[in-house]
Amino acid sequence: MGYEGSMDPKRVLGRPVKIDDSEVARFFEERGEKFDERHPLVSVLYQDSNPELTERRDAHEKQVLAPYLILEATPRVLDVGCGIGRWADAFKGQAARYHGVDLSTKLIEIARNRLQGETNFGFQVLRAQDCRPENIPGGGGFDLVIVAGVLIYINDRDLLEVLENVKACCAPKSRIIFREPIGLEGRLTLDSIWSEEMKQNYSAIYRSETELVEAFEKVFVADGFRWTKKDRLFPPELANRKETTQFFFVLERE
């Protein structure tokens, strides 16, 4: 994203830094405004200057996570941070219920337009901090919850609340998939730093693998979930960052 190697004081290593929630919301509205039907994935997977890499990453991610997507023949799926409905595409004709939430009005509008012909599919403007069963039409009871690239935009003060919300939305027997970028050498925070690649200011918290695992264990493992898988997502040829990489984490409760 054009930040690595920078001496910008808004690029903070190690110590916790609070990012501005309103800046994050504005960033995603701008991503929605940049939506291009020729390269739809770029709006939510970035790599603006290399759409082909975005498409390869999306295909690889879905191939890797495919074995973890189905618990029941027709699962009830909650997609937190659904964006344009990228994961919804994988459940066409497969889900008994799919519900996607995102903080961006523009991205939800795009998702609704893209998936308007799908029955039992719903999209809602809703922050992860507010994604509780009582705020979702039809309530919780989801067999599968996907949280892809959301936690890097959540401040520490809200992180455990968001995870508790995710847990509250789960059915007694359920699976949760997190896909998150992590800092390879510890926490890296970008505090409203300019990205040449996206031509936007960008804020994010890249936590370490250890930080995320500790949070997941505190909320999920302590309450009956078990680890199914945690690993790097991309092979070297699809990873183009020196300080961060994509990880996925799968937890399950039987």
Side-chain angles (χ1 to χ4, degrees):
M1 294 180 189
Y3 57 79
E4 291 179 332
S6 169
M7 298 301 292
D8 194 311
K10 294 188 175 183
R11 179 181 176 279
V12 182
L13 296 170
R15 62 183 176 87
V17 175
K18 179 181 178 294
I19 59 176
D20 188 330
D21 293 339
S22 64
E23 288 286 334
V24 171
R26 180 162 50 248
F27 169 80
F28 282 105
E29 286 302 316
E30 291 176 359
R31 296 308 293 173
E33 294 294 337
K34 293 183 177 186
F35 178 74
D36 184 345
E37 291 185 356
R38 297 172 300 173
H39 304 292
L41 298 174
V42 168
S43 61
V44 290
L45 294 182
Y46 317 147
Q47 306 297 327
D48 294 33
S49 60
N50 192 350
E52 187 269 341
L53 177 59
T54 297
E55 293 162 5
R56 290 172 61 203
R57 283 183 166 186
D58 176 69
H60 180 83
E61 179 179 343
K62 289 175 177 173
Q63 179 182 29
V64 170
L65 297 183
Y68 308 105
L69 294 182
I70 304 300
L71 276 176
E72 305 291 342
T74 54
R76 295 160 293 180
V77 182
L78 175 64
D79 188 354
V80 182
C82 66
I84 64 170
R86 180 175 72 95
W87 274 106
D89 294 333
F91 294 100
K92 291 179 179 178
Q94 302 294 323
R97 177 189 179 195
Y98 168 93
H99 193 75
V101 304
D102 199 282
L103 61 74
S104 168
T105 301
K106 184 62 179 177
L107 292 177
I108 287 294
E109 177 186 333
I110 295 167
R112 285 173 176 157
N113 289 336
R114 291 183 63 249
L115 281 302
Q116 60 183 324
E118 295 299 316
T119 58
N120 302 322
F121 275 43
F123 294 95
Q124 179 183 9
V125 178
L126 190 68
R127 302 185 313 153
Q129 294 92 326
D130 301 317
C131 186
R132 297 182 290 274
E134 61 267 27
N135 293 334
I136 298 174
F142 291 96
D143 306 304
L144 177 65
V145 180
I146 299 173
V147 186
V150 172
L151 302 184
I152 59 170
Y153 306 112
I154 302 297
N155 280 298
D156 289 346
R157 69 181 183 186
D158 297 327
L159 179 62
L160 293 183
E161 178 185 6
V162 168
L163 298 184
E164 290 287 353
N165 290 347
V166 168
K167 184 174 68 175
C169 291
C170 290
K173 180 181 178 181
S174 52
R175 180 176 292 158
I176 307 168
I177 302 173
F178 290 95
R179 192 272 293 156
E180 287 293 324
I182 66 166
L184 290 173
E185 300 297 330
R187 175 183 290 227
L188 168 65
T189 301
L190 304 182
D191 185 16
S192 191
I193 195 169
W194 178 254
S195 167
E196 280 296 330
E197 183 173 0
M198 296 188 290
K199 306 300 181 186
Q200 292 177 256
N201 282 330
Y202 183 70
S203 298
I205 301 170
Y206 297 86
R207 294 177 173 90
S208 67
E209 178 187 357
T210 299
E211 285 181 285
L212 287 177
V213 167
E214 287 178 352
F216 295 154
E217 291 191 343
K218 183 174 184 178
V219 174
F220 299 111
V221 176
D223 199 20
F225 283 83
R226 63 176 178 83
W227 286 106
T228 300
K229 184 74 172 180
K230 53 180 182 289
D231 204 353
R232 290 196 185 198
L233 179 60
F234 294 136
E237 62 270 21
L238 295 181
N240 61 349
R241 308 295 182 207
K242 295 179 180 179
E243 296 172 298
T244 64
T245 194
Q246 296 280 352
F247 252 67
F248 69 96
F249 308 84
V250 183
L251 297 112
E252 188 168 356
R253 183 170 60 190
E254 297 180 344

